[in-house]
Amino acid sequence: MQYGYFDNENREYVIDRVDVPVSWTNYIGVKDMCGVLNHTAGGYLFYKTPEYHRITRFRPNGVPMDRPGHYVYLRDDDTGEYWSISWQPVGKPLDQARYECRHGLSYSRYLCDYNDIKAEQTLFIPIEDPVELWDVKLHNSSGRERRLSVFSYCEFSFHHIEMDNKNHQMSLYASGSSFEDGIIQYDLFYEEDGYQFFTSNFTPDGYDCVRDTFLGSYRTETNPLAVERGECSGSTELGGNHCAVLHKKLVLQDGEDARLIFMLGEQGQENGKAMRKKYSDATYVDNCFAELAAFWDDKLSQLQIHTPNEGMNTMLNIWTLYQSEINVMFSRFASFIEVGGRTGLGYRDTAQDAMTVPHSNPQKCRQRIIELLRGLVTQGYGLHLFQPEWFDTQVKKQSFKSPTVVPTPDKNQIVHGLKDTCADDALWLIASIAEYIKETGEFSLLDEVVTYADGGSGTVYEHMTKILDFSTEQVGEHGICKGLRADWNDCLNLGGGESAMVSFLHYWALEYFIELADHIGKTDDALKYGAIAKNVKTVSQEVLWDGKWYARGITSKGRKIGVHSDVEGRVHLESNTWAVLSGVAGNEHGKQCMDSVDEYLYTPYGLMLVAPAYQTPDDDIGFVTRVYRGVKENGAVFSHSNPWAWAAEAKLGRGSRAMKFYDALCPYNQNDKIEIRQSEPYSYCQFIMGKDHTAFGRARHPFMTGSGGWSYFAATRYLLGIRPDFNQLIIDPCIPADWEGFTAVRKWRGATYNITVQNPDGVEKGVKTVSLNGKCLDGIAVPQQPEGSENDVTIIMG
Ligand code: GLC
C-alpha cells in the first residue's frame, strides 16, 4: 500500500493520502533556525538549540499524534464551517476533502481543496533571517462570492526544554505576550534574549495570544472556540501559556486569489516590524524561496548520478544527501523521537556525519571536526556527549540562567573518565579529517592548533596521533582493543571486555592516517604507525577468526561471543563488515564472512544486526540481551550498519551482492509497502524490526540516524566508486554484472568531471581503461584538473 510518490522533477515527496500511519517528517531551515514538521504541519521550531531555545511547543509521544503545530484554519463565514489546510488538527473526513503534503528540500507545502476553496500553506525559513514564513494562498473556485476567515495558530514554548516539561511552578509565570500594530510579541522576561514575534503582511481583524482563551476550556486544536465563533478575544497576559493567532476576514469573488504571509521570528517588536516590512513583499518571498532552491541545487550538483537503478538515483541525487546534510546541520537531537532534551553533540555520531558530506558542506564538516577535536582529552579519547560551547572561547555563553538554582557542572564533571568512554568515539574522527582534506585539499588544517577538553592544546595532527595511541594502549589481555563503556553498539558492553569492532576501526583509522602521513612527508610516523597497524592486523586475524566468520568480541569474563558455538547472538554484522572494510580480512576470510552475513543476517528489508537475537539476559554481554528480540540493537535491521556491508562487498568486488543489500534497505523500494514499513519512504530510519519481532519490517526513527550519511558514503564511494584522494579523483566502481554502465557528474575542487562508466563485459569490478578528455590514463584515478574546467572522463570496466 502506498501513501505517496516521489516527484523527482520538483525534488519533492508527495503524500497524497495524508492518513499515514505515523508522522512523516521534514526539516526546514538551513542555518540557525530549524523546524521539524510532519505531514500535517505538526511539529516545532527552535533557534540554534532545541534544548535551550525552543520557540514553539511540541507534545511528544502524545495523543492526538504529534501536536501542536504551525496551523492555518479556514472558516466559511456564511456557514460557520471550518477546516485546516494541513488536514490536522481539524481533520475533515478524507472522502469529503482533498489534502496533499509536499515535503521538499527545506520546505513543506500543504494543499487542500475543500468547499470549493483551494488553499495551500508553504512553510520555510529564508536563508538570510531566522524567521519562519507561512506563505498561504487561497483560490475561490466556487462560482460565487465567499466570505472567509483565516486564523493562524502556533503555541509558544518556554525556551528551555526542562522548563517546558517540568518546574511549572516557575515557568507558568515567567512568560508573557502582547500585541501592538499587528505584531504579537512573546517574551520570557527573565531571559535577556527571550523574545519572539509573530506578524503578517496584513492588518489583522483580531488576535489571541493566550492559548486557553483561543482554544476554550475542554477543547483542543481540533475545535478552537475562537474559530468556531469566528472571532478572537484579543487576549494577552503576563504569565500563562501563549499562542500566536492572527485573524483575517476576506471576501473572495469567484476565481479570486488571496495571499497571506505570516512570519514567526526571533526577537521582539522592533525586529518584528523590520521583518514585517521585508517579508510583506510577496515577490521578495518568492525570491527567498528560489534562493533556497538554488542553495540545494548547488549542494546536489556536487554529485548527480544516472544509473539503471531508479531508487538509487532518487535517493542519492536528492534524499540521502538531504538526510546526511540535515544530520550535519542540526546534529541528532531534534526530531519527534529525540525532542531536544539531550545535550550537544554525540561524539561518534557527529564524527561519522562529518565524514559524509565534505563535498556539499565543507564549512559545516570543518566546524564539526574542530568542535570534536576540542572535545578530545589529552589521553586521546572523546567526550561521549558534550556541548561544543563549553570549549569554544569565541561563543557568547548561554544567556539562559534558570531562576531556580541548577548547579553548573564544573570541569571535572564535564570531562568524564575511562568508565564513561566509548572506545570507538574518536577513532571515527581520523577518517572524517582525512576525507575532509581529500575533498578540499586543505592540508593546513593539520597544523591548526586546537585545545584539548582537559587543558592544553596541540595541532590537529597531534590530536590524531593521540586518538590512535589511545587505542594502541587500551587493549585487553588478548591484544584486542577494549570496548570500555561500549563500542559503536551502545548496548553491547561486554562487561568492559574486548571489542573486535574497535580493533577493526583502529586498523581502519591507522590506514587512513598512514596514507596521510606518507602523503605529507611524515615518513617516520608512517613507518611507526605502519608497524602498529601490522600488529593490530595479525592479532585480530589470529584471535577473532572463528572458522566462517569473525567473533564480535571477548567479554570481561574471557568468553568469545558471536562465534559458531553461540546459540543466541551467533553472527554479528559489525565485526564481519568491519573486518573487511578495514582491510584486516584477506580475500578468502573476507568472502567467507560476508557469505555468512548473507546467510544469517539478510532479510528483504536489509541486514539484521545480529542473529539469532538474544533472549537470555546476560550482563556479561550487555544491555542488548535485555532488549526485545528483533528490536533496535537486538536483531533489528539496524540501518546505520547496513552500508558497511555494501562497502565490504564492494571491497571484495561483489557488486551484485552489494546491490542486493543496498536494494533491500532502500526506503524507495518500500514505498508501496507502507502497511508494513509505516515510516517515511524518503528517509532511512534508525531501524526496521527484525525477523524475530511480530512487526517485522516496521521502520522507526527517520532522518536523525547515521544511516543517512553512511548510505551516502558507501554507495557513492564504494558502489559507484567515485572518491577523491589527496590529489586525484579515484573512480573504481563495483556494480551488478547486469549494469551496462552509468553516468555521473562530480564536482571536485572547482572542476567538473562528467563521468561515463561502461561495462561491456558485464563485470562487477575492475577498470580496464580510463580516459580524460579523450586521452588514456594509467591507473584508475584522474589527476586534479584546473578550477572551472569541464572534463570528460570515460571508464571502461573489464
Ligand atoms: C544510536 C546511537 C549511536 C549508536 C547506535 C548503535 O544510533 O545514536 O551512537 O552507535 O545507536 O547503538
Side-chain angles (χ1 to χ4, degrees):
M1 189 188 291
Q2 76 186 57
Y3 286 75
Y5 59 93
F6 291 87
D7 174 353
N8 286 353
E9 203 157 308
N10 290 305
R11 299 189 307 216
E12 287 173 342
Y13 186 87
V14 185
I15 302 161
D16 54 4
R17 220 196 115 167
V18 288
D19 57 339
V20 296
V22 294
S23 274
W24 286 13
T25 43
N26 192 20
Y27 285 78
I28 64 169
V30 296
K31 259 176 150 174
D32 288 337
M33 181 181 265
C34 173
V36 192
L37 296 164
N38 76 0
H39 62 290
T40 65
Y44 61 102
L45 189 72
F46 64 89
Y47 180 65
K48 292 193 177 166
T49 144
E51 190 180 10
Y52 298 115
H53 207 106
R54 304 167 75 80
I55 298 174
T56 53
R57 180 168 289 154
F58 187 60
R59 283 184 276 279
N61 201 18
V63 177
M65 182 168 93
D66 300 326
R67 284 193 189 177
H70 297 190
Y71 301 131
V72 173
Y73 298 93
L74 301 180
R75 181 176 186 274
D76 184 325
D77 284 339
D78 289 318
T79 63
E81 198 188 1
Y82 60 90
W83 63 100
S84 34
I85 300 182
S86 51
W87 183 43
Q88 296 295 325
V90 177
K92 284 281 171 198
L94 293 179
D95 56 355
Q96 292 170 24
R98 230 189 82 69
Y99 296 94
E100 195 175 278
C101 165
R102 291 180 164 259
H103 281 321
L105 306 184
S106 303
Y107 69 90
S108 285
R109 177 169 292 154
Y110 307 91
L111 298 106
C112 100
D113 189 349
Y114 182 63
N115 223 340
D116 295 325
I117 300 292
K118 288 196 173 66
E120 65 176 67
Q121 173 192 4
T122 305
L123 298 177
F124 76 102
I125 298 167
I127 297 174
E128 61 196 76
D129 289 306
V131 51
E132 185 194 45
L133 303 180
W134 308 14
D135 188 359
V136 175
K137 293 177 182 163
L138 304 174
H139 176 75
N140 174 9
S141 56
S142 63
R144 60 195 163 93
E145 179 185 284
R146 300 293 291 274
R147 293 192 316 121
L148 298 172
S149 271
V150 182
F151 297 86
S152 63
Y153 180 78
C154 65
E155 187 177 332
F156 286 109
S157 170
F158 303 125
H159 283 174
H160 195 300
I161 189 165
E162 293 269 309
M163 291 285 287
D164 205 48
N165 288 298
K166 53 188 196 196
N167 200 4
H168 288 120
Q169 60 87 18
M170 176 67 225
S171 49
L172 273 178
Y173 310 99
S175 69
S177 51
S178 58
F179 176 87
E180 202 186 309
D181 292 339
I183 301 172
I184 289 174
Q185 177 176 276
Y186 173 67
D187 74 82
L188 279 154
F189 192 54
Y190 53 79
E191 263 185 52
E192 209 180 307
D193 302 317
Y195 294 90
Q196 270 90 40
F197 69 86
F198 190 87
T199 187
S200 62
N201 68 340
F202 56 83
T203 305
D205 296 305
Y207 65 90
D208 264 316
C209 303
V210 177
R211 180 191 69 184
D212 300 341
T213 306
F214 174 76
L215 294 181
S217 300
Y218 300 102
R219 289 168 179 261
T220 69
E221 301 90 356
T222 301
N223 55 351
L225 185 62
V227 177
E228 197 174 286
R229 276 198 322 233
E231 289 295 340
C232 287
S233 315
S235 58
T236 62
E237 196 169 289
L238 299 183
N241 287 297
H242 304 268
C243 63
V245 178
L246 293 178
H247 175 199
K248 180 71 187 161
K249 289 183 182 167
L250 295 170
V251 178
L252 282 191
Q253 301 305 322
D254 177 40
E256 195 181 343
D257 295 310
R259 185 164 178 189
L260 308 179
I261 299 163
F262 297 93
M263 305 144 209
L264 167 59
E266 267 298 296
Q267 302 174 34
Q269 271 285 343
E270 279 311 303
N271 195 44
K273 256 187 228 164
M275 292 293 112
R276 186 182 196 195
K277 197 158 168 231
K278 188 167 177 183
Y279 292 104
S280 285
D281 177 350
T283 313
Y284 193 75
V285 169
D286 290 339
N287 290 343
C288 290
F289 190 74
E291 234 171 64
L292 198 57
F295 171 90
W296 282 106
D297 276 344
D298 181 49
K299 284 187 183 294
L300 301 183
S301 73
Q302 301 301 314
L303 174 65
Q304 284 290 295
I305 61 160
H306 184 68
T307 78
N309 186 332
E310 254 319 301
M312 185 179 228
N313 298 341
T314 303
M315 293 310 288
L316 293 182
N317 287 339
I318 304 172
W319 293 99
T320 310
L321 181 71
Y322 182 57
Q323 183 176 0
S324 313
E325 280 271 2
I326 297 293
N327 276 275
V328 173
M329 286 177 189
F330 301 114
S331 189
R332 293 282 185 84
F333 301 137
S335 67
F336 283 15
I337 311 300
E338 286 271 12
V339 284
R342 284 214 277 167
T343 290
L345 301 179
Y347 207 100
R348 75 158 78 92
D349 293 353
T350 310
Q352 289 170 83
D353 292 342
M355 179 184 77
T356 60
V357 290
H359 65 313
S360 62
N361 205 344
Q363 304 80 359
K364 196 76 186 182
C365 290
R366 192 186 197 285
Q367 178 196 324
R368 292 298 191 213
I369 287 169
I370 298 289
E371 285 168 349
L372 292 170
L373 288 165
R374 291 191 188 125
L376 192 81
V377 302
T378 36
Q379 211 186 324
Y381 63 85
L383 300 184
H384 190 62
L385 202 59
F386 70 101
Q387 288 281 19
E389 295 84 50
W390 290 342
F391 307 115
D392 188 347
T393 47
Q394 307 297 314
V395 158
K396 183 172 158 245
K397 294 293 174 240
Q398 273 309 332
S399 65
F400 173 78
K401 276 215 174 59
S402 172
T404 33
V405 178
V406 180
T408 10
D410 67 18
K411 198 136 213 168
N412 297 335
Q413 280 167 291
I414 292 171
V415 178
H416 61 68
L418 273 189
K419 130 176 121 29
D420 293 317
T421 298
C422 290
D424 66 309
D425 273 346
L427 283 171
W428 301 101
L429 196 55
I430 303 284
S432 315
I433 296 169
E435 290 292 349
Y436 174 82
I437 294 173
K438 287 181 178 187
E439 185 65 47
T440 61
E442 194 198 327
F443 286 93
S444 58
L445 173 70
L446 296 170
D447 301 322
E448 200 160 311
V449 175
V450 180
T451 50
Y452 290 102
D454 54 344
S457 58
T459 62
V460 170
Y461 186 84
E462 281 159 8
H463 277 68
M464 292 171 87
T465 57
K466 284 197 188 285
I467 294 170
L468 295 171
D469 294 347
F470 177 77
S471 294
T472 308
E473 283 151 22
Q474 291 293 325
V475 292
E477 66 182 273
H478 301 86
I480 301 301
C481 286
K482 290 181 189 165
L484 302 173
R485 173 76 177 72
D487 60 26
W488 168 87
N489 187 328
D490 278 332
C491 302
L492 197 87
N493 322 100
L494 302 166
E498 293 163 69
S499 158
M501 177 156 186
V502 179
S503 274
F504 295 147
L505 270 182
H506 188 204
Y507 186 80
W508 181 66
L510 283 162
E511 291 280 280
Y512 261 109
F513 182 80
I514 294 160
E515 201 193 359
L516 177 66
D518 242 340
H519 190 84
I520 59 172
K522 300 240 184 204
T523 322
D524 289 352
D525 282 343
L527 285 172
K528 174 181 160 192
Y529 289 96
I532 295 172
K534 193 161 170 250
N535 181 51
V536 174
K537 188 177 197 167
T538 312
V539 175
S540 302
Q541 283 172 341
E542 276 168 10
V543 176
L544 299 169
W545 180 246
D546 185 57
K548 285 193 173 161
W549 60 82
Y550 286 90
R552 179 63 177 81
I554 306 166
T555 70
S556 56
K557 293 185 182 151
R559 174 162 54 121
K560 267 192 197 166
I561 66 152
V563 290
H564 65 279
S565 54
D566 277 328
V567 178
E568 297 173 18
R570 203 159 176 237
V571 183
H572 292 250
L573 188 57
E574 305 98 309
S575 41
N576 290 297
T577 51
W578 273 100
V580 181
L581 186 49
S582 64
V584 165
N587 199 39
E588 193 195 326
H589 285 179
K591 283 191 167 144
Q592 260 180 308
C593 78
M594 289 307 294
D595 285 347
S596 302
V597 163
D598 190 33
E599 186 181 340
Y600 292 95
L601 304 179
Y602 177 78
T603 83
Y605 306 113
L607 300 166
M608 297 181 293
L609 194 56
V610 58
Y614 289 102
Q615 50 185 335
T616 318
D618 182 343
D619 293 338
D620 193 33
I621 295 172
F623 181 71
V624 65
T625 59
R626 293 177 185 274
V627 176
Y628 291 128
R629 299 168 72 219
V631 175
K632 293 190 57 120
E633 281 90 340
N634 193 14
V637 171
F638 206 95
S639 306
H640 185 146
S641 50
N642 272 242
W644 301 338
W646 318 339
E649 287 293 1
K651 274 203 128 176
L652 296 169
R654 302 196 291 194
S656 300
R657 172 77 71 73
M659 201 58 68
K660 169 179 145 176
F661 292 167
Y662 177 88
D663 278 337
L665 190 77
C666 188
Y668 179 97
N669 295 335
Q670 296 168 24
N671 191 42
D672 59 355
K673 299 186 186 74
I674 299 304
E675 72 283 9
I676 301 169
R677 175 180 172 86
Q678 294 198 341
S679 294
E680 299 88 325
Y682 48 89
S683 164
Y684 285 97
C685 285
Q686 187 201 53
F687 74 97
I688 298 173
M689 303 284 200
K691 268 186 185 162
D692 292 328
H693 195 277
T694 47
F696 176 41
R698 181 191 294 164
R700 281 291 182 266
H701 308 176
F703 271 105
M704 292 292 181
T705 122
S707 40
W710 260 103
S711 297
Y712 193 80
F713 187 81
T716 57
R717 286 169 201 252
Y718 289 92
L719 304 194
L720 303 178
I722 304 171
R723 50 177 186 269
D725 201 354
F726 293 117
N727 55 4
Q728 52 185 7
L729 186 65
I730 296 174
I731 304 164
D732 185 19
C734 182
I735 58 177
D738 61 6
W739 276 24
E740 285 172 9
F742 67 90
T743 59
V745 180
R746 174 65 148 98
K747 293 189 184 159
W748 180 53
R749 298 188 192 171
T752 303
Y753 300 82
N754 299 310
I755 301 164
T756 305
V757 173
Q758 294 168 1
N759 186 21
D761 301 336
V763 298
E764 300 198 348
K765 193 161 184 167
V767 171
K768 208 153 58 180
T769 63
V770 178
S771 68
L772 170 68
N773 299 326
K775 283 202 200 104
C776 267
L777 302 174
D778 292 331
I780 53 167
V782 181
Q784 186 182 341
Q785 296 302 301
E787 257 189 78
S789 64
E790 279 267 341
N791 303 280
D792 289 329
V793 180
T794 305
I795 308 283
I796 314 254
M797 294 178 69

